[in-house]
Amino acid sequence: MSTSSLQAVNVDTDATTTNGVESDEDQVKTSDILSLDSIRSTLIRQEETIIFALIERAQYRHNQAVYKKSENLGNPPGSVVPEGLEDEPSSFLEYFLIGTEALHYAVRRFTSPEENAFFPDRLPQEKVMEELEYPNLLSSVGGAIDVNFNEILMKKYIEVVVPSIAVHGDDEQHGSTVLCDVAVLQAISKRVHYGKFVAESKYLADPEGYQRLVDAGDSDGVMELLTNSAVEAKVLRRARLKAATYGREPLLADMPALKTSKEYDSSIVAAAAAAAVVGAIEAMGTDDDGKHDKISPSMVESVYRDIIIPLTKDIEVAYLFRRCGKEPPPQFAPDRMSIDEL
């Protein structure tokens, strides 16, 4: 639930001082946070969160029962029920996620522009903590700041991601399963909705260019202008390498017996690092039998290629259209992905 990347702009209130005088290094400008380099750095840090969450989810079977809607679960504690939806059935995952978001909202999680709720209409009206003030990093023009694609994200997660990373069947670990599901969903949601920050940064760099394309209704032109294929290729390669590294057990059989000297301890660390690198490089080049893998690196790469990257770009296009005062085209509605057929 950390929002450190945005709270950094408030560092002046807590900055380390020398003789009561803040140094230039203590000051962080909004323009610095909205720079593409800063945003990319944040997105790279989020990769570990997403990959580790996927690894945790992959230890349980598909457990399809947690995604089926039931009429017997009731209203999650702390949440509200919109009028007319009192008898609306929900799945165990939805029940758990709604309750989790209600609790997090009470301690002001969704006041951060980094965070977007999956069920904003189920959030309580009151918070137990005072509001935090965040810098105006995103635009409210046309409701751009409120762009939320969590509906299609959850659908793709249940229908595409889970079957690709989890073994078929049911292991009765339903509570642990939805706990992992929530962690994955919230991590990916934060990542793809960072597309709004990317879009704002690119808009500020070329407002006339984007306004011209939006006025012409040229969503393909907007998509082309914001796409950086070289960066996307690096993201895919990095995601696969990290999955190959983090998702593989160290080859302890090839390690020497442990001793107590610091010098020897250093050699053990070096050997372990070398073994991890070798294993990761091997996994990068081919899909082996997976006997050492907690998750398939190619599957993690496909999650990024087929869902995370295109969904991020859809959010960017939707944000830019609203930012420029127009409704996004139908293929950029929040209940679908533009790569899907209409």
Side-chain angles (χ1 to χ4, degrees):
M1 240 178 358
S2 172
T3 56
S4 58
S5 57
L6 291 188
Q7 288 174 346
V9 298
N10 293 323
V11 72
D12 59 320
T13 62
D14 302 305
T16 300
T17 61
T18 302
N19 297 325
V21 179
E22 295 173 351
S23 67
D24 291 341
E25 294 180 355
D26 294 324
Q27 305 302 318
V28 181
K29 298 180 180 179
T30 300
S31 58
D32 295 331
I33 294 177
L34 270 180
S35 71
L36 287 178
D37 286 342
S38 175
I39 293 171
R40 284 171 185 154
S41 177
T42 300
L43 296 179
I44 290 172
R45 290 198 303 271
Q46 291 177 15
E47 289 168 2
E48 281 79 8
T49 303
I50 293 172
I51 292 171
F52 278 117
L54 289 170
I55 291 172
E56 287 295 295
R57 176 59 183 90
Q59 69 182 299
Y60 303 109
R61 291 185 176 267
H62 189 164
N63 294 332
Q64 196 169 7
V66 305
Y67 310 116
K68 294 182 177 179
K69 293 186 180 293
S70 169
E71 299 179 1
N72 304 318
L73 295 178
N75 187 45
S79 65
V80 299
V81 182
E83 186 176 353
L85 298 180
E86 292 83 359
D87 298 322
E88 185 77 10
S90 63
S91 67
F92 184 33
L93 171 59
E94 291 171 335
Y95 179 89
F96 196 95
L97 182 53
I98 291 170
T100 300
E101 290 190 335
L103 175 61
H104 290 183
Y105 179 82
V107 292
R108 64 194 181 193
R109 174 173 190 166
F110 299 107
T111 59
S112 167
E114 288 182 305
E115 304 287 352
N116 296 267
F118 281 82
F119 297 95
D121 59 340
R122 304 295 299 271
L123 298 175
Q125 301 301 313
E126 298 181 358
K127 303 181 183 72
V128 298
M129 302 176 71
E130 293 182 2
E131 292 277 1
L132 290 174
E133 292 186 6
Y134 288 91
N136 296 321
L137 298 177
L138 298 176
S139 174
S140 59
V141 174
I145 192 174
D146 297 320
V147 167
N148 187 327
F149 276 54
N150 278 335
E151 179 181 354
I152 185 59
L153 170 57
M154 176 175 278
K155 184 175 187 293
K156 292 292 183 179
Y157 175 75
I158 294 173
E159 296 179 357
V160 180
V161 177
V162 172
S164 72
I165 65 173
V167 176
H168 179 73
D170 193 300
D171 56 15
E172 298 184 346
Q173 304 301 307
H174 296 173
S176 297
T177 295
V178 297
L179 189 63
C180 291
D181 285 332
V182 168
V184 177
L185 284 167
Q186 291 183 330
I188 295 180
S189 173
K190 184 173 182 177
R191 199 282 183 196
V192 298
H193 285 97
Y194 240 83
K196 292 189 284 188
F197 294 95
V198 175
E200 179 66 17
S201 178
K202 293 185 176 181
Y203 172 83
L204 293 176
D206 186 12
E208 293 82 8
Y210 283 107
Q211 188 69 56
R212 183 172 58 254
L213 290 169
V214 169
D215 288 343
D218 187 1
S219 58
D220 291 339
V222 173
M223 180 68 79
E224 182 179 356
L225 188 57
L226 61 80
T227 296
N228 189 327
S229 298
V231 170
E232 291 178 12
K234 289 180 180 179
V235 170
L236 293 176
R237 183 171 179 80
R238 193 169 54 240
R240 181 170 182 139
L241 178 59
K242 288 181 178 180
T245 303
Y246 305 146
R248 174 168 292 206
E249 292 288 353
L251 303 178
L252 295 179
D254 298 332
M255 301 281 287
L258 293 176
K259 296 182 181 180
T260 57
S261 71
K262 291 184 178 180
E263 182 178 348
Y264 197 80
D265 288 346
S266 297
S267 67
I268 291 293
V269 172
V277 170
V278 170
I281 292 175
E282 290 176 350
M284 286 288 292
T286 181
D287 284 326
D288 58 16
D289 57 12
K291 62 183 179 181
H292 298 300
D293 295 337
K294 300 173 184 177
I295 194 169
S296 167
S298 64
M299 288 299 179
V300 172
E301 181 182 15
S302 70
V303 169
Y304 266 84
R305 183 186 62 247
D306 301 333
I307 296 177
I308 292 178
I309 290 177
L311 190 53
T312 302
K313 292 163 68 175
D314 283 358
I315 289 170
E316 292 178 33
V317 172
Y319 178 92
L320 286 165
F321 264 79
R322 292 186 179 279
R323 179 72 166 86
C324 295
K326 293 191 69 174
E327 282 291 316
Q331 65 267 36
F332 295 98
D335 61 348
R336 67 183 313 278
M337 290 178 64
S338 63
I339 58 176
D340 297 335
E341 295 182 3
L342 284 172

